[in-house]
Amino acid sequence: MNRGVTFQTAPMTPVVKWLLIINVAIWFVFQVILEGFLRVPFTSIFGLFPGKVLFDFHIWQPFTYMFLHSMQVTHILFNMLMLWFFGAELEQRWGSKFFLIYYLVSGVGAAILYCLGVWVYALITGSQTGLIVPVVGASGAVFGLLLAQGMIFGERIVYFFMLFPMKTKYFVALMGLVQLASLMTSSVAGGEVAYLAHLGGIVAGFICLKMKGWFDRNEWKKKAKSKGRNLRLVVNNEKNEKPPKYWN
């Protein structure tokens, strides 16, 4: 998927840079060295196990899982490339604070929706596999960034598989449909790929952006009302021909 799309990339931004450093450092030091060679059970503690989150209250896992990756180099490589490609421009547009909030909300939201999804699936089918299979990776958060790219830069043209031009909003919709189709043709746990977590990142990102839009509109209305009150005060003073003694 990712190798067939070209995006304009922004220079390395502060939060994106630190997220890349933290992810790679955790993967190499704690997973490759400590877990791979010294057999420290790092993933079993900090990976996302839906059953442990729901029933044993391992509430840190929906946060920590997004900083872990599988031992395959391609897993962390493509996630980090997509974090840079999608994230740097968004951080430049939003600022570092909201970008970090959005990234974490997308990743944690993806984990929560994944846990709820496999729990419902287990109740309906009786299969407990999804509850005990761990999920790791930044893909949920990255799919949240992908959604934001489609919503903000939707008219930008990208080249799918280097050949087919399409608008970013259509590409994002296509990727969402691919994840949904992949989920429908596999189990909820998704085999080696947690498609439900990818969709969860899209949903969580959408909710976060809508909430930000609602908050920004309310703030704008408050400021507009405040300016309106100040304007009426000045007009009243002029009408009474008694200018105020002090101007604020």
Side-chain angles (χ1 to χ4, degrees):
M1 177 196 77
N2 298 329
R3 288 172 289 182
V5 184
T6 58
F7 280 90
Q8 297 179 3
T9 58
M12 188 67 68
T13 49
V15 172
V16 168
K17 179 180 71 174
W18 279 108
L19 287 173
L20 293 175
I21 292 172
I22 291 170
N23 274 276
V24 172
I26 289 176
W27 178 75
F28 185 73
V29 175
F30 291 96
Q31 294 187 266
V32 174
I33 297 177
L34 294 181
E35 187 168 27
F37 290 98
L38 302 179
R39 304 302 178 186
V40 178
F42 195 75
T43 300
S44 64
I45 298 174
F46 297 103
L48 179 66
F49 291 80
K52 292 182 179 180
V53 173
L54 293 169
F55 308 121
D56 297 332
F57 304 107
H58 291 192
I59 58 175
W60 61 87
Q61 291 184 354
F63 173 78
T64 56
Y65 87 103
M66 72 177 82
F67 297 98
L68 307 180
H69 290 82
S70 70
M71 292 299 179
Q72 295 179 350
V73 177
T74 53
H75 186 207
I76 188 170
L77 175 63
F78 285 118
N79 272 346
M80 295 302 99
L81 283 175
M82 293 304 100
L83 168 58
W84 175 41
F85 290 164
F86 300 147
E89 189 172 20
L90 291 172
E91 184 179 351
Q92 283 188 326
R93 183 182 180 89
W94 287 336
S96 296
K97 181 179 179 180
F98 180 73
F99 173 77
L100 180 59
I101 291 172
Y102 180 80
Y103 180 84
L104 296 177
V105 166
S106 296
V108 173
I112 292 173
L113 293 173
Y114 181 83
C115 290
L116 294 176
V118 297
W119 180 44
V120 172
Y121 182 79
L123 292 175
I124 295 173
T125 65
S127 173
Q128 304 294 313
T129 303
L131 294 172
I132 61 177
V133 173
V135 174
V136 294
S139 298
V142 168
F143 268 85
L145 299 181
L146 176 61
L147 172 79
Q149 281 278 344
M151 293 182 68
I152 296 173
F153 307 109
E155 298 300 317
R156 176 180 295 167
I157 300 298
V158 298
Y159 289 86
F160 187 54
F161 285 109
M162 305 294 181
L163 296 174
F164 308 106
M166 67 172 60
K167 292 183 178 180
T168 303
K169 60 184 179 182
Y170 299 137
F171 168 73
V172 173
L174 177 62
M175 290 300 99
L177 290 175
V178 168
Q179 299 305 307
L180 180 60
S182 300
L183 176 64
M184 298 295 290
T185 55
S186 64
S187 65
V188 169
E192 293 185 359
V193 180
Y195 299 111
L196 181 59
H198 296 173
L199 292 171
I202 293 175
V203 172
F206 180 80
I207 294 173
C208 183
L209 289 179
K210 287 299 181 181
M211 291 182 64
K212 182 179 187 298
W214 176 83
F215 179 80
D216 289 345
R217 284 192 297 271
N218 281 349
E219 287 296 307
W220 183 85
K221 289 178 182 179
K222 290 179 182 179
K223 291 179 180 179
K225 288 180 180 179
S226 177
K227 290 180 180 179
R229 286 194 296 268
N230 292 336
L231 178 61
R232 286 193 294 273
L233 176 61
V234 172
V235 171
N236 288 337
N237 285 328
E238 291 178 350
K239 182 177 179 181
N240 296 331
E241 297 182 353
K242 293 180 180 180
K245 187 174 182 180
Y246 300 103
W247 291 89
N248 295 327

